[in-house]
Amino acid sequence: LKVAGMPESQENPFSKDIVKLIHQQSQGIPRLINVLAERLLLGAYAQQKRQVDKSIFDQAVQEIMGESPRKPMNKPQKALLQG
């Protein structure tokens, strides 16, 4: 965000919880992270908010992926995926 011109004095629009949700929803895929982050910033701007909140996140996921946000996997599910 600094590269894009955000002043260092300005608070990051993504809280740690939202960053975790972005990672969870995108599964760490860079393209999905970028698309989701862009939509989140647009949503916050449209609502005149400086911080992305859970309602903005949920709306962005619905618009991009056409589904409700993913729920975190539990340890057995992760183990199955990892083989």
Side-chain angles (χ1 to χ4, degrees), residues 14-22 40 52-54 57:
F14 303 111
S15 68
K16 288 182 181 182
D17 290 338
I18 293 295
V19 170
K20 287 178 186 177
L21 289 172
I22 292 169
L40 292 170
V52 173
D53 60 25
K54 181 73 165 72
F57 178 84

Side-chain angles (χ1 to χ4, degrees), residues 3-5 8-10 13 28 31-33 35 43 46 52 55 57 62 66-67 69 72 74 76-77:
V3 172
E8 289 193 33
S9 60
Q10 187 172 335
R31 178 70 180 135
L32 291 179
I33 293 169
V35 170
V52 173
S55 67
F57 178 84
Q62 180 66 36
E67 61 186 43
N74 59 35
Q77 288 172 320

Side-chain angles (χ1 to χ4, degrees), residues 9 15 18 23 30 35 41 43 47-48 57 60 63 66 69 71 76 78:
S9 60
S15 68
I18 293 295
H23 182 263
V35 170
L41 291 171
Q47 294 185 24
Q48 298 180 343
F57 178 84
E63 290 174 6
K71 296 194 173 161
K78 286 181 184 178

Side-chain angles (χ1 to χ4, degrees), residues 22-80:
I22 292 169
H23 182 263
Q24 174 186 319
Q25 187 65 41
S26 68
Q27 298 179 344
I29 299 170
R31 178 70 180 135
L32 291 179
I33 293 169
N34 289 342
V35 170
L36 186 53
E38 179 183 22
R39 186 61 58 99
L40 292 170
L41 291 171
L42 183 61
Y45 174 79
Q47 294 185 24
Q48 298 180 343
K49 294 184 177 181
R50 291 190 174 270
Q51 189 96 33
V52 173
D53 60 25
K54 181 73 165 72
S55 67
I56 294 170
F57 178 84
D58 291 344
Q59 180 66 34
V61 169
Q62 180 66 36
E63 290 174 6
I64 294 168
M65 301 185 177
E67 61 186 43
S68 298
R70 297 178 197 269
K71 296 194 173 161
M73 283 190 251
N74 59 35
K75 288 184 182 180
Q77 288 172 320
K78 286 181 184 178
L80 283 173

